[in-house]
Amino acid sequence: MEESLIREYNEFFNYKDFFQFIEKYKQRSIAWRTHFEPRDIKSDDSLPTYIYEEAIPLFQDCGEYDLVQKRLLEVLHSRRSSSFDEFEYTWTIEQLSILLAYSAGNRPGDGLDLDMDVPVRFRTYPSGGAMYSVLLFFIAKGVEGLPDGLYRYGAEEHILYRLRGKVDHKEIERLFPASQFQSPVSGNSLTNASIFIFFISNYRYLFQKYGFASYPLSLIESGHICQNIQLLSAALGQTSRPIAGMFIDRIEELLNIRRNKYLHCIYSVIL
């Protein structure tokens, strides 16, 4: 019996299948000349290509928050993934503006002119080929100064696009197994959380350049952004929790991207 289980286990975790799988993700020098140079194709990711109700400009003045006085090691040590029961602090639109500007926005005065209509502006995180294929959608609930609803962050203009109105709390909880099934490890409810950010990878251009490697690259890019978000949250004295366990189909239906073959939800973080 034991030998049979071991044999089945080894057949499932087959090195041959694994190595064949990762070979598809490797970039090869012999094919690189047929690929695109960084951002030498025009991307429409910076444009509001989704139907939205209104556009809300943001700002990035730290003002009273004194983030410049926060020590890097202090912020790194205070970064942690909070349980659902610890989400008890209210966010303001000022804090959200700062969070998005410094975790996923443009670096001031830094860019590259590639003879395109709009020069490439570099952001506060690394991205394969500077293509910035990961889009941020989020649900806002109880953020001071911002109407409840579903939004997309436009990093190029540092603006919010409101896609729809208030999202019911029951509709939010059914997006995550931990909240729908009341996991004792995570806590009992998402009632006190204010912001639910979803990382959406757009493979329309990324795949043309990187092929199968576009998938791990989008995961890595999401990780860079999420770490920035958690560090900024810690610096602002707020809680945060990344969540990989989520019902992708329900999230993509909520965001109205389920039928868009290029857009895929790959990660999330709750604030």
Side-chain angles (χ1 to χ4, degrees):
M1 179 65 177
E2 183 177 350
E3 291 181 358
S4 176
L5 288 174
I6 293 175
R7 184 171 58 254
E8 291 179 5
Y9 177 88
N10 289 334
E11 288 176 353
F12 182 79
F13 291 102
N14 187 299
Y15 273 109
K16 180 181 178 180
D17 293 341
F18 175 66
F19 291 139
Q20 289 178 345
F21 178 76
I22 62 176
E23 277 297 319
K24 294 182 178 181
Y25 292 85
K26 293 181 179 179
Q27 294 295 306
R28 294 171 174 79
S29 59
I30 193 171
W32 187 257
R33 283 179 294 179
T34 65
H35 289 200
F36 296 99
E37 294 297 323
R39 286 295 293 270
D40 65 351
I41 53 178
K42 186 173 180 180
S43 171
D44 61 3
D45 289 353
S46 63
L47 303 176
T49 53
Y50 313 93
I51 299 175
Y52 64 96
E53 297 179 353
E54 62 176 320
I56 302 175
L58 297 173
F59 46 89
Q60 59 189 62
D61 182 10
C62 287
E64 63 186 69
Y65 296 103
D66 298 326
L67 292 182
V68 292
Q69 297 182 19
K70 293 280 186 178
R71 298 285 183 178
L72 176 59
L73 291 181
E74 175 188 346
V75 175
L76 285 170
H77 288 160
S78 60
R79 187 222 66 83
R80 58 186 296 270
S81 298
S82 305
S83 68
F84 293 166
D85 294 336
E86 295 178 288
F87 287 84
E88 56 185 25
Y89 303 105
T90 301
W91 281 79
T92 67
I93 190 173
E94 292 83 6
Q95 291 176 316
L96 179 59
S97 297
I98 292 170
L99 177 97
L100 292 173
Y102 290 99
S103 64
N106 292 317
R107 297 202 309 248
D110 194 1
L112 180 65
D113 190 353
L114 295 174
D115 296 325
M116 297 170 61
D117 294 339
V118 180
V120 176
R121 298 178 64 187
F122 295 124
R123 299 186 187 173
T124 58
Y125 58 92
S127 172
M131 302 189 79
Y132 303 113
S133 62
V134 175
L135 310 175
L136 297 186
F137 288 71
F138 69 91
I139 298 170
K141 181 174 68 71
V143 177
E144 291 184 3
L146 183 69
D148 288 357
L150 178 64
Y151 293 85
R152 184 176 77 85
Y153 175 53
E156 290 291 331
E157 302 298 330
H158 192 47
I159 197 170
L160 295 182
Y161 297 105
R162 189 166 186 252
L163 306 178
R164 56 163 281 190
K166 181 178 180 180
V167 180
D168 184 79
H169 182 70
K170 290 184 178 180
E171 191 174 0
I172 296 174
E173 291 212 325
R174 68 188 295 272
L175 302 177
F176 308 97
S179 56
Q180 180 172 2
F181 301 117
Q182 302 291 296
S183 169
V185 176
S186 302
N188 295 324
S189 177
L190 292 171
T191 302
N192 295 327
S194 299
I195 302 168
F196 305 82
I197 300 178
F198 304 103
F199 299 80
I200 310 300
S201 185
N202 187 342
Y203 294 110
R204 181 177 182 185
Y205 301 109
L206 192 65
F207 185 79
Q208 293 181 41
K209 177 174 175 61
Y210 291 107
F212 279 87
S214 58
Y215 180 64
L217 284 174
S218 64
L219 296 177
I220 293 169
E221 183 173 331
S222 294
H224 288 311
I225 302 172
C226 188
Q227 176 73 336
N228 283 351
I229 288 175
Q230 284 209 282
L231 291 176
L232 263 296
S233 296
L236 291 166
Q238 297 281 19
T239 51
S240 64
R241 181 183 180 86
I243 295 186
M246 49 189 175
F247 294 123
I248 300 295
D249 54 341
R250 294 178 180 178
I251 292 172
E252 291 179 349
E253 288 171 3
L254 174 69
L255 303 183
N256 197 28
I257 62 171
R258 188 67 174 161
R259 296 185 179 181
N260 188 319
K261 66 180 181 180
Y262 298 113
L263 301 181
H264 296 267
C265 180
I266 54 178
Y267 202 26
S268 65
V269 62
I270 296 174
L271 309 175

